[in-house]
Amino acid sequence: MHCAALLLSSLCLALSTWALTAPDAAPEEAEMDACVRLPIVMYHHISDVEAIWGKYVVSSAEFERDLLWLRENGYESVRVQDLIAWSEGRFSLPEKPCIITLDDGYESTGVCAAPLLEKYGFTGVVAVIGAVAQQYSEQPDHNLRYSHLSWEAVAELSRGGVLEVQYHTWDMHTLSPRQGCNRKKGEAESGYRAALERDMEQFADACAAYGVKTVPSVAYPFGAYCALTREIVAANGFRAAFTCTERVNLLTGAPEELLELGRFNRPHGVSSAEFFEKWEEEKG
């Protein structure tokens, strides 16, 4: 009996010690639960020309089915300006937020994407390449197989309430001699800083000249950037930056988290359920 009493006493002591120490792991779990899950989808061109469907071109039917899937599964799109306001404690995000991005400023963004976004109650953000918008302003071409938005069309979209406009560089959407807006190998920091800031200034000047409303965010061409890019972008007033890293963003509200947002490229040829399953898989 004496041994049994000692055993019981030891067991009680062990349980009591566990009860005192176990909560140490709870804050991390609680912190994860407190994170906002923000998945972001990246589209490029929307076309009904079957010959060009591929990794960066989807059909209008695929785009519409995606929006229907998002709505039926409880997702609500948020604007970049609202995401920034949330990080400052001035906005409440919905239970299942997402962001819909459209890169490169194809004319199909205005002709196809904007009406469908409005139809299903979504918003999006279009990343415009300044030099390309300038080209299509000076030499109008409305062949939807390849055409891009003119500055006039970009300005109209920026005032429409469905699509925000963000910086996709002025003319750094190239792979050579510079990969996107990344720093070139051996390039001096001062030279790189001057080149990127000059590019930003050209874009901002054109937006001002054409009456384009923009949000302080950037989509890095090809997802190419470095630590110095991020530093320069932040120093020049940008509050959010979209990469091409495929991951669901887990956000605590720290403003710096918005400077490396991951997103999933949407290719042609997979069902909406199959594509968006990536978002659901990361819940665990």
Side-chain angles (χ1 to χ4, degrees), residues 64 67-68 71 112-123 162:
E64 184 166 13
L67 298 181
L68 185 60
R71 189 175 72 174
C112 179
L116 286 173
L117 287 167
E118 186 171 17
K119 175 181 177 179
Y120 288 97
F122 289 102
T123 60
V162 174

Side-chain angles (χ1 to χ4, degrees), residues 22-283:
D24 288 346
E28 183 178 344
E29 294 176 6
E31 186 177 332
M32 290 300 293
D33 290 340
C35 284
V36 169
R37 296 183 73 260
L38 178 67
I40 301 174
V41 57
M42 171 174 53
Y43 296 94
H44 290 79
H45 190 16
I46 300 169
S47 174
D48 289 328
V49 179
E50 186 175 355
I52 63 173
W53 291 344
K55 185 175 181 180
Y56 301 111
V57 184
V58 299
S59 69
S60 59
E62 285 175 314
F63 185 71
E64 184 166 13
R65 285 195 294 268
D66 284 357
L67 298 181
L68 185 60
W69 188 96
L70 289 170
R71 189 175 72 174
E72 290 178 344
N73 285 273
Y75 282 96
E76 297 180 53
S77 61
V78 296
R79 294 177 172 86
V80 175
Q81 60 187 355
D82 292 334
L83 179 64
I84 294 170
W86 169 77
S87 73
E88 298 171 344
R90 299 184 290 105
F91 185 82
S92 296
L93 294 176
E95 184 178 348
K96 294 181 72 174
C98 70
I99 292 181
I100 298 169
T101 69
L102 298 110
D103 278 15
D104 301 345
Y106 282 97
E107 193 170 14
S108 63
T109 298
V111 173
C112 179
L116 286 173
L117 287 167
E118 186 171 17
K119 175 181 177 179
Y120 288 97
F122 289 102
T123 60
V125 54
V126 54
V128 174
I129 308 165
V132 175
Q134 189 68 33
Q135 174 191 334
Y136 277 83
S137 298
E138 296 172 355
Q139 302 171 345
D141 186 345
H142 300 288
N143 186 328
L144 289 175
R145 185 185 180 104
Y146 56 76
S147 56
H148 286 70
L149 296 162
S150 66
W151 279 120
E152 183 179 355
V154 172
E156 185 177 348
L157 286 177
S158 76
R159 297 189 294 265
V162 174
L163 285 166
E164 296 174 303
V165 175
Q166 68 177 341
Y167 171 66
H168 203 30
T169 77
W170 175 261
D171 64 356
M172 290 184 171
H173 196 280
T174 60
L175 290 171
S176 178
R178 182 189 303 280
Q179 185 180 27
C181 56
N182 203 355
R183 186 178 182 180
K184 291 188 288 189
K185 185 176 181 180
E187 185 175 23
E189 179 178 330
S190 59
Y192 173 60
R193 187 180 297 274
L196 185 53
E197 290 182 342
R198 184 167 55 249
D199 188 271
M200 293 175 182
E201 185 177 1
Q202 280 185 279
F203 186 89
D205 287 348
C207 287
Y210 287 96
V212 177
K213 296 168 57 179
T214 62
V215 287
S217 60
V218 53
Y220 294 127
F222 316 110
Y225 70 103
C226 63
L228 184 54
T229 317
R230 173 175 163 152
E231 177 190 318
I232 297 168
V233 160
N236 280 271
F238 287 88
R239 303 294 305 281
F242 294 87
T243 72
C244 294
T245 303
E246 296 207 332
R247 61 179 174 82
V248 172
N249 303 284
L250 297 177
L251 306 176
T252 65
E256 60 271 16
E257 295 172 333
L258 305 190
L259 290 171
E260 287 184 300
L261 294 168
R263 52 187 179 152
F264 294 85
N265 178 63
R266 202 323 181 187
H268 162 71
V270 297
S271 70
S272 300
E274 184 180 354
F275 174 73
F276 289 116
E277 186 177 49
K278 299 175 184 179
W279 293 9
E280 303 295 307
E281 285 174 350
E282 292 200 26
K283 280 185 177 179

